[in-house]
Amino acid sequence: MMATPHHKNPYHPMILANGSDAVLLNYTGSMASGLTGHAHLEQHQGTLCGWYKPAHAGCVTPRYVPLLVESGYQIMLNGEVCDISDYEQQFFPQQALLKTRATARGAVVEIVAFLTHEHTLVERYKIISLPSGTRAQLAFYVRSTAGHMGGLVGVHHTQLEYHSSTPDQLAFDYHVDTVRGAGVMQVDRPADENYDAFPGLQYNQVKVGFTATKYLTLFDTSDTRSYRKQLNAQRECCRTLPYARIKRAHQTNWRTYAAKNSLTVPDATAQYLYDYSMYYLRANQYAATGAISCGPLPHLWAGGVHCPYDAAFAQQALLRNNRLEEGRAHVAFHRQGHAAARKLARSAGISGAIYSGWSDCRGQHLGVGHGRNWQDYLLKYKPLMPAYLVLDAYWQWVFDPQDADHRRNLPYMRDILALAIERFIIEHDDHATMRPCAPGNESEIVVENDTLNGLAYARALEGYAQMCQALGDTSAEQHGRLAGKLFKGIAKNTEQGVLLPYPDAPYLTGLQLDFYLLGLPAKGSRKSVQAGLRAMRTSWGLDSDQPSEAYRDWPWLNCRAGIALAHLKQPRQAFEWLLHAGSKASSLGALPEKIRMDGYAIGYGYVSPHALYAWMMSHAFAHDGPDDELAILWGFDGRWRDMSVENVRLAAGLLISLSVVAGKVTRVEIVNRSAQPLQRTLNLNPAYTGIKNRAVTIPSRDSIIVES
């Protein structure tokens, strides 16, 4: 996708992130250029362009991640600062590179920007053209941005203290609340003088072909205790290593991640959004712990927040797209929090382990809101969340059965379920129900036997029992029996074949799709999905259809619809929602969480729509069906005739690769890395031809190829 002033989709600045840092760069190719705050500092939902560290979510009060610094550039023609009047901007997701060509009164500058895993933002500038007879200058600066119009003014004030300046660098210390840090802006060529408007460096001999590379590096106590030592080491790397080598190492890092699987489709927007979504999942996984946040910036749930419900979509997307290491790291994050969760449960006189509903990227519980104490919040208003921590580990086992860490996950899973059995579930003679709690749709009422809570815990109990049995642990038979009883109890919420959100609920919600996805591949009601989609339909897309919220459309509901309908073998409808979800992206590919009734998009860069988009795309190519079915191409309706996919991961660790040429499946490869032969029944969408529906056996630690 190429963002320009004439693009039909709204513009939102680019989020470059590496799991520890995030920078928001606008259409100038940097954080800012020019002197007018309205042009570059007022951004969507008040998040200013600049540098953020998601780990600060648990370090500062109030909880919004603070903006640390702004670093930009100025183009000066005949001594006057010139604003950017035109731009072309393109992001390359598999390399995590942003390229911008910006124009200021006839001066054209090309900028390549990327954020390394060594906490350094690199910006490479090259002057492409200048108006004839013009004296040109270029300046780089770094400053605190507190107090700008249109932003989150007054939430935080980052204090900067400049302590050294040389012709090629400007060093500073910063602090916000208890966080202490240091940074440096350095350029690969000495400046002619200091920039006088802001702290920075100015170049006066600027001609066509002039190049300069700016390196901005920030370390603080949220990264390491020895932040100053690490900063100095990285500063030396930037000083001594050629730009080309630093760029090449960055590209190799991201290409290695991208190479774990791939897919190609003929629609350039869908192709880009898939690649972007896979980039964005890694960009929002905190490097030190494996936590996956809802997003790194203040307008995304305050920034740096781990929500188990949302992160579960990311876990599915990672696993189905063969990102096993990232999935393992996410589950390890839950495992690492086990001791603290047990301690909290003991302090409250409760069995098992109490995990947070919202946490920072280190697992520390964040505020509960509405004046509730944590027990009231976790045990009554958000009992749902820990079930997804169990499901994350279960799904990891389903898709990655050869991993040696599964036994290490059983204790934290067992303790979460012990809490649920004691505090959330009522066992009757022939069924079980959920105790009164807030419903899963986030309404403020309290209901009996909530469906989403019940299904999540039933699946968690069932999955834990299956894992234990497979791993030779015989202690979980009671969990399997209780799961069966809870499924029966939740089924009592059914009216005329439709599973309601809770008994006698007067409306359906977007959770109808969650009910179905929780049951994949074998459980779920077609009628419930269809009824839910009818209830959610708006003139613009899908709304959740619940009293507490009303919106035009939710892109991540579109994606959930695409997944469910592909599984229900309704490819035409599934494909329509796939296309519709992509239409809501910004001109650089950021999907919003939802579209307000006045058409304003909320939450550009929210992780869950991207997770679900990646899940939906892989699911469209291949997914597990009931009774060991391998469903092929059921998310497409025949309009896309030339496609391919490599390494979609399914249950039991099967890897699926296939090619489609002119609507004909020419090749399907199935790799089985398990110790047992596996049988599957191929089921090809009849909109495509080339292979016959039939049973196949994939030998252990081997592969088969089915050709047309």
Side-chain angles (χ1 to χ4, degrees):
M1 297 174 74
M2 176 76 77
T4 73
H6 309 290
H7 199 286
K8 62 183 177 64
N9 290 21
Y11 181 82
H12 185 268
M14 184 64 212
I15 303 172
L16 295 181
N18 59 17
S20 301
D21 311 274
V23 295
L24 190 63
L25 308 182
N26 62 31
Y27 59 79
T28 66
S30 186
M31 299 175 191
S33 183
L35 295 174
T36 169
H38 288 294
H40 304 300
L41 301 174
E42 293 188 14
Q43 293 296 339
H44 198 80
Q45 289 184 257
T47 296
L48 299 173
C49 288
W51 191 304
Y52 299 83
K53 287 184 179 283
H56 290 174
C59 302
V60 296
T61 304
R63 189 171 50 79
Y64 292 92
V65 293
L67 175 62
L68 298 177
V69 298
E70 172 204 300
S71 179
Y73 69 96
Q74 307 285 35
I75 295 175
M76 292 163 280
L77 301 179
N78 297 325
E80 186 170 5
V81 173
C82 297
D83 199 5
I84 301 303
S85 57
D86 196 10
Y87 65 91
E88 292 180 347
Q89 194 167 54
Q90 191 171 12
F91 181 62
F92 297 86
Q94 295 188 344
Q95 305 173 56
L97 286 177
L98 180 68
K99 293 185 179 181
T100 307
R101 181 170 285 218
T103 302
R105 299 194 68 83
V108 179
V109 59
E110 188 174 84
I111 305 167
V112 176
F114 55 94
L115 181 65
T116 75
H117 280 80
E118 292 74 39
H119 307 275
T120 297
L121 173 65
V122 182
E123 294 176 351
R124 174 76 165 183
Y125 292 77
K126 182 178 182 180
I127 301 299
I128 303 301
S129 64
L130 293 169
S132 61
T134 301
R135 178 172 58 89
Q137 298 164 295
L138 184 66
F140 304 118
Y141 66 86
V142 60
R143 63 174 179 166
S144 170
T145 56
H148 284 317
M149 61 191 83
L152 294 172
V153 179
V155 173
H156 292 288
H157 188 185
T158 303
Q159 302 286 341
L160 261 62
E161 179 182 343
Y162 302 94
H163 58 75
S164 68
S165 178
T166 66
D168 64 353
Q169 65 181 260
L170 178 61
F172 54 91
D173 290 342
Y174 65 89
H175 71 268
V176 54
D177 281 10
T178 60
V179 175
R180 296 291 183 271
V184 61
M185 182 189 76
Q186 57 193 119
V187 185
D188 66 351
R189 61 190 303 160
D192 297 307
E193 61 179 301
N194 289 333
Y195 181 49
D196 59 3
F198 310 124
L201 306 172
Q202 182 170 310
Y203 298 83
N204 297 327
Q205 307 300 317
V206 176
K207 308 294 184 183
V208 173
F210 174 95
T211 63
T213 307
K214 181 181 75 173
Y215 302 94
L216 179 64
T217 305
L218 270 69
F219 279 88
D220 64 34
T221 49
S222 72
D223 301 309
T224 173
R225 292 182 180 179
S226 57
Y227 64 88
R228 200 175 301 279
K229 179 180 178 181
Q230 294 296 319
L231 175 70
N232 290 334
Q234 181 61 14
R235 171 163 46 186
E236 185 64 12
C237 286
C238 294
R239 188 185 70 82
T240 58
L241 294 179
Y243 161 75
R245 181 173 171 181
I246 294 173
K247 178 185 175 185
R248 187 164 57 250
H250 172 80
Q251 291 172 303
T252 298
N253 183 311
W254 280 96
R255 283 172 172 154
T256 299
Y257 167 79
K260 294 177 182 179
N261 87 319
S262 66
L263 61 81
T264 59
V265 295
D267 184 281
T269 297
Q271 178 72 62
Y272 174 83
L273 286 176
Y274 171 78
D275 292 337
Y276 182 101
S277 295
M278 292 309 302
Y279 151 79
Y280 200 60
L281 287 174
R282 187 190 188 206
N284 283 281
Q285 184 166 31
Y286 186 56
T289 65
I292 300 172
S293 77
C294 293
L297 302 178
H299 72 282
L300 301 170
W301 278 34
V305 172
H306 177 271
C307 171
Y309 172 79
D310 290 84
F313 295 124
Q315 181 75 357
Q316 286 269 5
L318 289 169
L319 295 174
R320 292 172 183 273
N321 288 283
N322 201 35
R323 301 312 196 275
L324 298 185
E325 292 179 14
E326 289 75 17
R328 291 169 191 158
H330 185 214
V331 174
F333 168 65
H334 307 332
R335 194 170 63 238
Q336 291 158 8
H338 186 204
R342 279 179 58 85
K343 183 178 179 180
L344 183 58
R346 286 197 302 271
S347 71
I350 297 172
S351 298
I354 296 177
Y355 279 81
S356 176
W358 291 20
S359 75
D360 65 18
C361 55
R362 292 184 177 85
Q364 297 297 311
H365 179 61
L366 296 174
V368 299
H370 301 290
R372 303 183 182 120
N373 63 55
W374 68 264
Q375 288 195 36
D376 187 44
Y377 178 78
L378 294 176
L379 302 180
K380 185 176 180 180
Y381 283 90
K382 288 291 182 182
L384 171 70
M385 295 301 185
Y388 283 96
L389 306 186
V390 177
L391 288 169
D392 286 340
Y394 167 65
W395 291 325
Q396 187 76 34
W397 172 74
V398 167
F399 289 95
D400 183 21
Q402 285 76 47
D403 182 41
D405 273 347
H406 295 311
R407 290 184 185 279
R408 299 175 62 197
N409 298 329
L410 294 179
Y412 96 73
M413 300 168 73
R414 183 183 303 119
D415 278 345
I416 287 175
L417 295 174
L419 169 69
I421 291 168
E422 178 180 300
R423 299 300 296 256
F424 304 154
I425 300 170
I426 304 173
E427 187 170 3
H428 307 279
D429 289 340
D430 63 345
H431 69 284
T433 56
M434 295 299 294
R435 292 184 186 275
C437 65
N441 67 358
E442 299 187 334
S443 294
E444 291 291 300
I445 59 175
V446 174
V447 302
E448 303 274 351
N449 200 30
D450 178 69
T451 298
L452 183 62
N453 279 277
L455 282 177
Y457 277 106
R459 283 293 277 161
L461 288 161
E462 180 183 59
Y464 174 73
Q466 291 173 359
M467 275 184 69
C468 286
Q469 182 179 18
L471 296 172
D473 185 332
T474 60
S475 65
E477 292 181 4
Q478 61 175 347
H479 296 80
R481 287 195 298 270
L482 183 57
K485 295 176 77 170
L486 191 51
F487 279 125
K488 287 179 64 176
I490 295 303
K492 293 179 179 294
N493 294 347
T494 301
E495 286 188 9
Q496 298 180 349
V498 175
L499 188 58
L500 302 180
Y502 51 84
D504 301 318
Y507 52 81
L508 303 178
T509 74
L511 297 180
Q512 303 302 125
L513 300 174
D514 288 57
F515 301 162
Y516 191 80
L517 299 188
L518 276 169
L520 293 178
K523 299 181 177 68
S525 163
R526 176 185 297 269
K527 194 170 183 179
S528 288
V529 170
Q530 293 170 337
L533 289 173
R534 286 194 298 271
M536 290 185 284
R537 201 72 168 88
T538 72
S539 300
W540 305 275
L542 294 176
D543 187 22
S544 187
D545 189 41
Q546 60 196 59
S548 60
E549 300 183 42
Y551 293 94
R552 285 186 176 189
D553 198 8
W554 297 64
W556 55 325
L557 278 178
N558 306 159
C559 296
R560 278 179 272 184
I563 296 167
L565 289 165
H567 198 269
L568 289 170
K569 296 184 172 51
Q570 296 180 275
R572 184 181 63 80
Q573 297 94 320
F575 189 66
E576 288 296 337
W577 287 116
L578 185 154
L579 296 177
H580 181 76
S583 71
K584 303 302 177 182
S586 74
S587 56
L588 281 176
L591 289 169
E593 180 186 11
K594 50 204 172 190
I595 313 296
R596 210 165 58 186
M597 289 305 298
D598 58 2
Y600 185 82
I602 300 293
Y604 276 118
Y606 195 62
V607 169
S608 296
H610 287 287
L612 280 153
Y613 192 89
W615 178 0
M616 174 179 62
M617 286 290 283
S618 63
H619 198 84
F621 275 97
H623 61 262
D624 294 296
D627 302 320
D628 292 329
E629 175 192 76
L630 200 169
I632 299 174
L633 298 179
W634 283 97
F636 306 116
D637 68 350
R639 276 179 274 179
W640 290 357
R641 310 293 288 169
D642 297 280
M643 304 180 288
S644 67
V645 70
E646 297 288 332
N647 293 339
V648 167
R649 183 167 283 267
L650 303 185
L654 287 179
L655 288 171
I656 312 300
S657 302
L658 63 89
S659 300
V660 183
V661 178
K664 181 179 181 180
V665 178
T666 60
R667 173 180 172 274
V668 177
E669 181 178 9
I670 310 172
V671 178
N672 175 16
R673 292 180 176 169
S674 73
Q676 296 81 33
L678 297 172
Q679 293 186 334
R680 293 293 184 267
T681 301
L682 304 184
N683 188 340
L684 174 66
N685 177 357
Y688 298 90
T689 63
I691 62 172
K692 295 181 179 180
N693 294 344
R694 65 180 187 271
V696 296
T697 299
I698 312 98
S700 64
R701 298 188 177 93
D702 204 347
S703 64
I704 64 169
I705 295 177
V706 180
E707 294 181 319
S708 59

